[in-house]
Amino acid sequence: MLKINNLNATIDNKSILKGFSLNINPGEVHAIMGPNGSGKSTLSNILSGKKGYETSGEILFEGKDLFELETEERAHKGIFLAFQYPLEIPGVNTNIFLKTSLNAIRKARGEKELDAIEFLKLVKEKSKDLKFDEDKLNRQLNVGFSGGEKKKNEILQMSLLAPKLSILDETDSGLDIDALKIVADGVNTLRDKKNSFLIITHYQRLLDYIKPDFVHVLMNGKIVKSGGPELAIELENKGYENFN
Amino acid sequence: MDNRQKEIDNLKDYKYGFSTDIENTRAPKGLNENVIKFISNIKKEPEWMLDFRLKAFERFKLLKEPDWQKPKYPKIDYQDLYYYSAPKSMDDKPKSLDELDPKLLETYKKLGIPLQEQARLNGIAVDAVFDSVSVATTFREELTKHGIIFCPISEAIQKHPELVKKYLGSVIPTTDHFFATLNSAVFTDGSFAYIPEGVRCPMELSTYFRINASNTGQFERTLIIADKGSYVSYLEGCTAPMRDENQLHAANVELIALDDAEIKYSTVQNWYPGDKDGKGGIYNFVTKRGLCKGKNSKISWTQVETGSAITWKYPSCILRGDNSVGEFYSIAITNNHQKADTGTKMIHLGKNTKSKIISKGISAGFSDMTYRGLVDISAKATNSNNYTQCDSLLMGNKCGAHTVPYIKNKNSESTIAHEATTSKISEEQLHYCQQRGLSSEEAVGLIVNGFCKEVLQQLPMEFAVEAQKLVGISLEGSVG
């Protein structure tokens, strides 16, 4: 599904990713763990299409060169990023934002756009599953939401848009244990043979609830070790400093 | 991608930029007594009207063009303008639409304002003003049934002199200021509406202003009177051809609301804004003022200002009647090299008077936007209050936004509240929306419409959708 070969990325003359490679097949859950500054967020930024990076190397998504696609085209093809810091957009009603987004993606997929009633039914169902406060749907997007609510809103969007590849960029940070379980439930519900996940995190605790197929340790811009779930536990015990 | 780009390019074009090739009757070039007499004569005006004009002109000669505004412009040579230009076919006023020059009918059709009986906009009476004359007014018989007068002001001067004499210049005196006084001397056409006591006007009244002739100033004059307990909602729209020259539109609009009456006045201003390098476009220097003359009266201004090279106007309310209410809802958008200095004045004279100002300014490109507003609560206006909310949204880093509030409160029992915010559409917000599948244009449209929502909601429903589209189009190409 996603093939990253020897990716290098520089921003403001600072080299962040240095020969990063990763292969994710349909249905797999990969976790990337690494200390601050190892390049985790840069990786999610680049995959989502954020501008400002100088890059070399190759990223293929279902065989297509990702660099050829605009941010929204990547979203249309099924790449979703749960942002580490979800943006506040004053004046824009959350429901309207979600509906506009869902219909833009449905349209790109050649599916019928949902009318207001169909959409509301769907969003209410999903909110209930995720214990997302329905009143928030009528508020301005993320404005005045707590950190946990913002993160849940990301997962709500993920479950609405049903992407093929979901990238969770430190979605667990700032979540209490209940919220963490809800986020994990959201991921596990969507998990099947076709959908893949890339979970970026500092800590092992999210992986207690979402069992990854592979764990990779990212240090200084590249993967230094890959393994199964046990690697996360090893990492948690040893710490990054003593790794290597 | 190519097709989408083409679509965007098409939208970016000012689609009302065509001109109609039509033979005109013009006043001699320049500004003098003879030209004023020419206008008065061609309009078959009574003596008192000519006197009104000449008095204004005497005053005008003593006035200096103001220069305190933020947007500066090259000096206008007032002797190098035509003050009257009208299609020759209007010399003998056509008695019905059948006699109207087909070219004029075609022009309005192209503008989306069909005048023919069968194609008329439902529930909206239109007065169509082309350069210096009104060419047609629809639904007049229907309105007459309710005792409502809706006609070109030139006709009202002849047929309803008692009303015009009483109210014309009663809110904007002929001595008011440079452009208003100039208008009083040389105004050509515009709309007149009178809603009799206790009547709720059953449809929207509207005027569609079109500038067509080159080298010509348009001096519109509109007068709306809502008698006791009446209600009217009025809307004006404006467009002009694309030209390299700057053209002057200096209008005077006077509203009078008597006891318990309400006037809702909405503007969708889409004059030609000039090209992307700032060449050409309309100078929209307009004086709009409403007088809440009676107790419990209400005047509400809503404006969506997207056009013009320079917009310079402050639709105002004089709250003389006790318990009267003034409102001002504004969206002003400047893109490329457009400039705007706009806002309102709320003058509280009566007791228990209330005013509300909601202003949304959006600047993009190299444009510059100023909100300027006065709230003045006089010593006698006990228990009055004002609420002002003034928000600016910036796109890119080459545009400007300024807020200049003037606040005077001479009554200790009255209150004024002012809130202001400035925000910017950030790259991060756009990226977030795009990651959710929206193009950058769709994202900007969503954010901007969210920003403007409070004002768009004030527009009559038929126009809210149009205005929303216009807001999007005005900002096309301003991102990325």
Side-chain angles (χ1 to χ4, degrees), chain B residues 362-409:
Chain B
I362 302 169
S363 20
F366 297 88
S367 71
D368 200 67
M369 163 89 61
T370 301
Y371 166 83
R372 194 186 298 275
L374 168 71
V375 177
D376 187 343
I377 297 184
S378 72
K380 284 180 182 161
T382 302
N383 194 29
S384 296
N385 67 59
N386 161 268
Y387 173 73
T388 300
Q389 187 190 326
C390 207
D391 299 321
S392 308
L393 186 65
L394 296 162
M395 298 174 64
N397 49 17
K398 296 192 172 63
C399 54
H402 319 271
T403 301
V404 191
Y406 302 83
I407 295 169
K408 295 181 193 168
N409 189 351

Side-chain angles (χ1 to χ4, degrees), chain B residues 34-102:
Chain B
N34 287 335
V35 166
I36 292 168
K37 284 176 181 161
F38 175 97
I39 294 170
S40 191
N41 186 44
I42 204 163
K43 301 252 175 213
K44 302 188 178 68
E45 287 178 351
E47 193 69 28
W48 60 266
M49 195 65 245
L50 179 61
D51 286 347
F52 178 100
R53 291 175 179 279
L54 291 175
K55 229 182 254 169
F57 186 56
E58 281 310 308
R59 174 73 183 188
F60 177 75
K61 286 191 253 179
L62 305 172
L63 293 175
K64 262 191 149 164
E65 197 163 342
D67 67 349
W68 46 263
Q69 82 288 3
K70 185 115 195 329
K72 302 299 177 199
Y73 54 90
K75 224 173 156 40
I76 298 170
D77 182 353
Y78 292 92
Q79 296 304 337
D80 195 36
L81 286 180
Y82 291 101
Y83 287 83
Y84 179 90
S85 173
K88 218 175 186 94
S89 59
M90 295 302 292
D91 283 358
D92 292 310
K93 210 166 168 54
K95 284 179 194 66
S96 72
L97 280 174
D98 303 335
E99 291 177 24
L100 195 64
D101 188 335

Side-chain angles (χ1 to χ4, degrees), chain A residues 48-50 71-72 75-76 79-81 83 87-89 91-92 97 100-101 104-105 142 154 157, chain B residues 1 4 426-429 431-440 442 446-451 453:
Chain A
S48 71
K50 193 156 202 281
T71 299
E72 65 269 28
H76 297 161
I79 295 180
F80 178 90
L81 170 63
F83 282 68
L87 275 291
E88 295 183 4
I89 308 191
V92 176
F97 180 78
T100 310
S101 161
I105 285 178
N142 288 329
E154 295 292 287
Q157 294 178 46
Chain B
M1 196 66 199
R4 212 181 91 200
S426 66
E427 287 293 321
E428 279 73 20
Q429 283 174 327
H431 177 65
Y432 186 74
C433 294
Q434 284 174 278
Q435 210 302 304
R436 297 301 186 252
L438 309 183
S439 67
S440 61
E442 287 168 327
L446 191 71
I447 295 171
V448 165
N449 277 308
F451 178 76
K453 200 168 46 195

Side-chain angles (χ1 to χ4, degrees), chain B residues 206-474:
Chain B
S206 75
T207 307
Y208 194 89
F209 291 97
R210 175 71 176 168
I211 292 177
N212 187 62
S214 58
N215 275 317
T216 304
Q218 191 180 49
F219 300 91
E220 158 213 345
R221 186 99 193 189
T222 289
L223 176 61
I224 298 174
I225 304 146
D227 212 327
K228 290 176 183 167
S230 68
Y231 169 84
V232 62
S233 169
Y234 173 94
L235 186 122
E236 62 166 353
C238 334
T239 58
M242 292 160 79
R243 294 222 171 81
D244 285 349
E245 55 174 303
N246 291 110
Q247 280 183 278
L248 178 64
H249 172 87
N252 281 8
V253 173
E254 293 175 282
L255 313 183
I256 296 114
L258 302 184
D259 289 354
D260 305 299
E262 179 176 350
I263 302 174
K264 190 173 160 60
Y265 190 107
S266 313
T267 305
V268 176
Q269 186 263 107
N270 188 20
W271 294 120
Y272 177 54
D275 70 8
K276 64 177 184 358
D277 301 316
K279 196 166 189 193
I282 301 292
Y283 290 158
N284 188 38
F285 299 168
V286 168
T287 307
K288 288 182 167 167
R289 206 172 292 164
L291 174 63
C292 284
K293 195 170 180 179
K295 58 180 192 330
N296 309 319
S297 57
K298 179 175 176 185
I299 289 178
S300 179
W301 299 98
T302 303
Q303 60 171 19
V304 178
E305 304 282 323
T306 61
S308 298
I310 302 176
T311 293
W312 187 11
K313 58 183 273 205
Y314 313 96
S316 305
C317 296
I318 301 167
L319 305 172
R320 184 183 293 161
D322 288 347
N323 313 318
S324 59
V325 177
E327 292 177 339
F328 175 74
Y329 297 94
S330 170
I331 298 170
I333 298 178
T334 51
N335 197 358
N336 298 317
H337 290 266
Q338 281 177 277
K339 295 180 175 69
D341 192 323
T342 185
T344 184
K345 292 188 264 184
M346 293 291 174
I347 317 284
H348 293 251
L349 302 175
K351 292 189 185 74
N352 309 315
T353 47
K354 294 187 172 37
S355 64
K356 183 171 167 186
I357 300 170
I358 306 286
S359 164
K360 306 278 179 177
I362 302 169
S363 20
F366 297 88
S367 71
D368 200 67
M369 163 89 61
T370 301
Y371 166 83
R372 194 186 298 275
L374 168 71
V375 177
D376 187 343
I377 297 184
S378 72
K380 284 180 182 161
T382 302
N383 194 29
S384 296
N385 67 59
N386 161 268
Y387 173 73
T388 300
Q389 187 190 326
C390 207
D391 299 321
S392 308
L393 186 65
L394 296 162
M395 298 174 64
N397 49 17
K398 296 192 172 63
C399 54
H402 319 271
T403 301
V404 191
Y406 302 83
I407 295 169
K408 295 181 193 168
N409 189 351
K410 299 182 201 91
N411 188 303
S412 58
E413 287 170 60
S414 295
T415 57
I416 294 176
H418 182 99
E419 288 178 25
T421 66
T422 301
S423 52
K424 202 175 158 179
I425 298 186
S426 66
E427 287 293 321
E428 279 73 20
Q429 283 174 327
L430 287 180
H431 177 65
Y432 186 74
C433 294
Q434 284 174 278
Q435 210 302 304
R436 297 301 186 252
L438 309 183
S439 67
S440 61
E441 282 81 15
E442 287 168 327
V444 168
L446 191 71
I447 295 171
V448 165
N449 277 308
F451 178 76
C452 299
K453 200 168 46 195
E454 270 174 286
V455 176
L456 289 172
Q457 280 167 351
Q458 296 298 324
L459 286 173
M461 210 168 48
E462 296 85 341
F463 298 99
V465 178
E466 277 305 304
Q468 194 170 338
K469 272 190 222 153
L470 185 60
V471 165
I473 291 167
S474 308

